[in-house]
Amino acid sequence: QQKQQQQQQQLRFAMALAFIVNAPPPLGLVHSSKTGVQQQADEARRLHAQSETGTETLRHGCTAALAFGTVASLCGRHAARRKTRLALRASKADAPQSSAGRRDCISGTVAALAPALALRSTPSDAIAEELVEVYFGCGCFWHVQHEFVQAEKRHLARSDSELTSLVGYAGGLGGARDNKVCYHNALGASDYGSLGHAEVVRMLVPPSKFLPMAEEYVKLFDRNGSRPDQFGDRGLEYRNLVGLPGGSSSPLMPQLEEASQRYGNKLEFQAGKGSDGDVRALVYVMDTKKYPFFVGEPYHQFHDGFNIGEDYPDTYNNLTQKYVKEGKVR
């Protein structure tokens, strides 16, 4: 009789879980002949399936339903082990029946359902978040690109085929000349410096991940707000700037300021007016719509750093050919 009561308790618990996901109870706990408790649970589950709530649960509970298959298997195994233990105990002296099997089943069930319930509670916009275009300027763009490529892999879990960090030019009043912006050249054709642009690295990021990327930018500066090549490369081509949708009025601006505060509050931010001068520890915040990004030449993509000995692996340098072949760089 005690064994039957414990099995009914296990069955009630399994029925309650089945009620949540509108799934059948674990077969390992169902008797060959239905008890009154089972019949009541079956009827309740049938009515639940017909209700609007039941339909909604079924529509949005696929993950939990899949996890319930694991739950049923766990409960079935616990029931089988418990049956063996009870048989051994029956051959010995009479002793109070332990409820460890039921506790094990409950613990296993909760543990199995926890990841599924966590997934069900994840907002859909966190899974399919729209990417925004941002860019960062901090002196020569060779080293900066490498740092942000590593940041994309670390913070955004992107592979070599998914990287969006590309070097280029932005922030000038001159826009493009002859529909192009070029690096310094002997002919001075569409020279980015003469157009007022700075060297930048552009990337696409989900807004929820902008803060760690902004932190990577702030960490490029020393405690005095000097960039790595502060006393080497000088001029408006190497000034500090950040491009955000909406500029200094962007919803991302507070995160940029927070990143700076986390690392010594060593930078000042100012709305850029275009073709701005080069000032130490001052970062111009540009509106990416008004001051768009112009992608740089293949030669400058995935290039070694500007410092002597700052050579990167061939696997990094060879990404240029890959991106040219894919049409991402021309």
Side-chain angles (χ1 to χ4, degrees), residues 265-286:
N265 202 23
K266 52 195 175 183
L267 300 175
E268 294 184 13
F269 300 99
Q270 177 179 310
K273 298 180 180 179
S275 302
D276 304 286
D278 183 14
V279 181
R280 185 186 65 81
L282 177 62
V283 178
Y284 299 101
V285 182
M286 317 302 294

Side-chain angles (χ1 to χ4, degrees), residues 174-189:
R177 184 182 299 155
D178 299 328
N179 296 319
K180 59 185 177 181
V181 177
C182 305
Y183 192 73
H184 299 309
N185 57 87
L187 298 178

Side-chain angles (χ1 to χ4, degrees), residues 21 47 132 148 157 160 162 197 204-205 253 300:
V21 297
L47 294 175
V132 296
F148 278 111
D160 286 344
E162 299 170 323
H197 295 301
L204 303 176
V205 300
M253 188 64 201
H300 295 292

Side-chain angles (χ1 to χ4, degrees), residues 21-310:
V21 297
N22 197 28
L27 296 178
L29 299 179
V30 178
H31 301 292
S32 57
S33 60
K34 290 189 175 182
T35 65
V37 174
Q38 288 174 291
Q39 292 174 353
Q40 294 175 5
D42 287 345
E43 178 65 14
R45 189 168 63 254
R46 184 183 66 79
L47 294 175
H48 175 71
Q50 295 175 354
S51 67
E52 292 182 359
T53 303
T55 303
E56 191 70 10
T57 301
L58 184 61
R59 184 183 301 118
H60 296 290
C62 295
T63 305
L66 288 174
F68 191 81
T70 304
V71 173
S73 178
L74 287 172
C75 291
R77 288 197 295 272
H78 281 298
R81 285 196 291 267
R82 177 162 176 73
K83 183 176 181 180
T84 302
R85 289 197 299 269
L86 291 175
L88 291 174
R89 288 175 182 172
S91 63
K92 298 180 181 179
D94 293 336
Q97 303 267 341
S98 172
S99 60
R102 180 168 59 88
R103 288 197 301 270
D104 289 345
C105 183
I106 294 174
S107 300
T109 299
V110 173
L113 275 181
L117 296 176
L119 284 175
R120 290 181 63 191
S121 64
T122 302
S124 59
D125 57 352
I127 299 175
E129 192 174 4
E130 184 177 357
L131 302 179
V132 296
E133 181 184 52
V134 299
Y135 55 73
F136 297 94
C138 178
C140 178
F141 48 24
W142 291 344
H143 169 76
V144 178
Q145 182 185 25
H146 178 265
E147 296 307 297
F148 278 111
V149 163
Q150 300 307 310
E152 282 195 78
K153 293 181 177 181
R154 183 167 56 253
H155 298 300
L156 306 180
R158 288 176 176 167
S159 65
D160 286 344
S161 299
E162 299 170 323
L163 298 173
T164 62
S165 294
L166 297 176
V167 303
Y169 317 102
L173 292 172
R177 184 182 299 155
D178 299 328
N179 296 319
K180 59 185 177 181
V181 177
C182 305
Y183 192 73
H184 299 309
N185 57 87
L187 298 178
S190 303
D191 184 287
Y192 80 99
S194 66
L195 296 172
H197 295 301
E199 297 186 9
V200 300
V201 175
R202 183 232 54 179
M203 67 210 65
L204 303 176
V205 300
S208 63
K209 294 294 185 179
F210 176 72
L211 179 59
M213 304 303 282
E215 290 178 341
E216 295 296 335
Y217 176 67
V218 173
K219 288 190 290 186
L220 294 172
F221 299 85
D222 67 15
R223 59 189 181 91
N224 297 316
S226 296
R227 59 177 181 262
D229 61 349
Q230 186 70 54
F231 305 103
D233 293 327
R234 302 181 185 182
L236 62 79
E237 297 99 320
Y238 306 103
R239 67 188 184 274
N240 312 316
L241 52 80
V242 174
L244 303 176
S248 58
S249 300
S250 172
L252 300 178
M253 188 64 201
Q255 297 184 51
L256 180 61
E257 294 174 331
E258 180 182 347
S260 179
Q261 293 171 1
R262 288 186 178 185
Y263 289 88
N265 202 23
K266 52 195 175 183
L267 300 175
E268 294 184 13
F269 300 99
Q270 177 179 310
K273 298 180 180 179
S275 302
D276 304 286
D278 183 14
V279 181
R280 185 186 65 81
L282 177 62
V283 178
Y284 299 101
V285 182
M286 317 302 294
D287 186 342
T288 53
K289 183 177 181 180
K290 186 175 180 180
Y291 300 96
F293 168 82
F294 300 93
V295 66
E297 298 84 347
Y299 171 81
H300 295 292
Q301 306 294 338
F302 307 103
H303 197 285
D304 289 331
F306 50 80
N307 287 328
I308 298 176
E310 194 173 16

